[in-house]
Amino acid sequence: DTAVSQTPKYLVTQMGNDKSIKCEQNLGHDTMYWYKQDSKKFLKIMFSYNNKELIINETVPNRFSPKSPDKAHLNLHINSLELGDSAVYFCASSGDVGNTIYFGEGSWLTVV
Amino acid sequence: GNSVTQMEGPVTLSEEAFLTINCTYTATGYPSLFWYVQYPGEGLQLLLKATKADDKGSNKGFEATYRKETTSFHLEKGSVQVSDSAVYFCALSDRTGTASKLTFGTGTRLQVTL
């Protein structure tokens, strides 16, 4: 019974392709996030949604488009993939109490 | 803006040695503080947290105390094991409306040898 699950875990794709990463949480949280971890392990927030509404949108190329069909799901679609998009993408969620953010296991994206 | 500074790694220790990983932060207001751990090839796991000054977070033998006067949240463990080898991230959280935004340090790699 994984709390935050994301698929696929590994994705290798060619430059120029469009790909999606899916995320689901069963914690009953209202807020979900996407974080990016680069090759140097640095973690940075990309987006946050609360109950399907965009709350945080950091400086991210508009090739990245999050979509939240309901508060338990937050998918990440990436258009026209570039070599620099290679990274680990983490989905996460949080409730209203305590500010603790729980992460999924990550999706390792490699663009070749 | 908010920032988190961690000691640079890698930190290499022998099994049963004492561990300290330093973490200091800059923030407006009173953020919550966290340590996350990432084992090789795995995702981020919450290790411990503290939500207010002088709180001590603890888990799996690891401890960290929220020190407002020194803006620090150093991670300690009395006796490390080989299985503790991982990358450790210090982070602070502040609220943006209904979302919590985590600002991470750069991570400290710990390598424990027999």
Side-chain angles (χ1 to χ4, degrees):
Chain A
D1 47 336
T2 305
V4 181
S5 59
Q6 49 185 114
T7 56
K9 182 164 184 176
Y10 300 102
L11 181 56
V12 181
T13 189
Q14 291 188 326
M15 276 194 303
N17 284 351
D18 303 337
K19 290 294 177 185
S20 292
I21 306 171
K22 295 185 176 181
C23 179
E24 175 182 6
Q25 55 94 4
N26 63 6
L27 296 167
H29 289 162
D30 287 334
T31 306
M32 296 185 71
Y33 310 80
W34 279 107
Y35 280 77
K36 179 180 179 180
Q37 185 177 43
D38 64 22
S39 58
K40 296 184 179 178
K41 296 285 190 183
F42 185 67
L43 281 149
K44 193 168 174 6
I45 191 168
M46 299 173 70
F47 302 103
S48 175
Y49 272 70
N50 178 270
N51 207 6
K52 302 195 295 178
E53 180 185 353
L54 183 64
I55 303 296
I56 296 173
N57 185 353
E58 295 290 290
T59 306
V60 177
N62 57 15
R63 297 181 295 103
F64 290 77
S65 54
K67 287 184 172 52
S68 181
D70 55 61
K71 73 174 192 177
H73 296 83
L74 180 61
N75 304 323
L76 183 65
H77 189 75
I78 315 171
N79 288 329
S80 304
L81 278 156
E82 300 177 357
L83 292 176
D85 297 332
S86 297
V88 185
Y89 293 87
F90 285 100
C91 180
S93 73
S94 67
D96 289 333
V97 178
N99 293 340
T100 300
I101 296 178
Y102 296 92
F103 286 83
E105 294 192 343
S107 294
W108 272 253
L109 172 65
T110 302
V111 182
V112 297
Chain B
N2 296 339
S3 67
V4 175
T5 302
Q6 284 182 241
M7 58 188 293
E8 289 211 14
V11 174
T12 303
L13 294 173
S14 299
E15 202 170 44
E16 299 184 1
F18 185 85
L19 168 71
T20 300
I21 300 178
N22 289 337
C23 171
T24 57
Y25 66 90
T26 303
T28 54
Y30 303 98
S32 297
L33 300 174
F34 303 83
W35 278 99
Y36 283 85
V37 58
Q38 187 175 26
Y39 297 101
E42 297 187 14
L44 281 168
Q45 299 177 26
L46 176 66
L47 182 60
L48 54 84
K49 69 174 186 178
T51 57
K52 61 183 188 297
D54 300 326
D55 266 4
K56 178 186 281 189
S58 61
N59 185 26
K60 299 181 182 179
F62 291 90
E63 292 183 340
T65 301
Y66 190 140
R67 301 285 187 203
K68 180 167 163 283
E69 63 277 11
T70 55
T71 62
S72 65
F73 193 54
H74 304 320
L75 183 68
E76 297 182 335
K77 187 175 185 183
S79 175
V80 294
Q81 306 299 313
V82 171
S83 57
D84 294 326
S85 299
V87 180
Y88 292 81
F89 294 91
C90 184
L92 67 82
S93 172
D94 66 82
R95 302 285 290 192
T96 302
T98 50
S100 298
K101 180 178 172 180
L102 278 174
T103 300
F104 284 91
T106 52
T108 303
R109 182 179 299 278
L110 171 65
Q111 182 70 44
V112 181
T113 59
L114 289 171

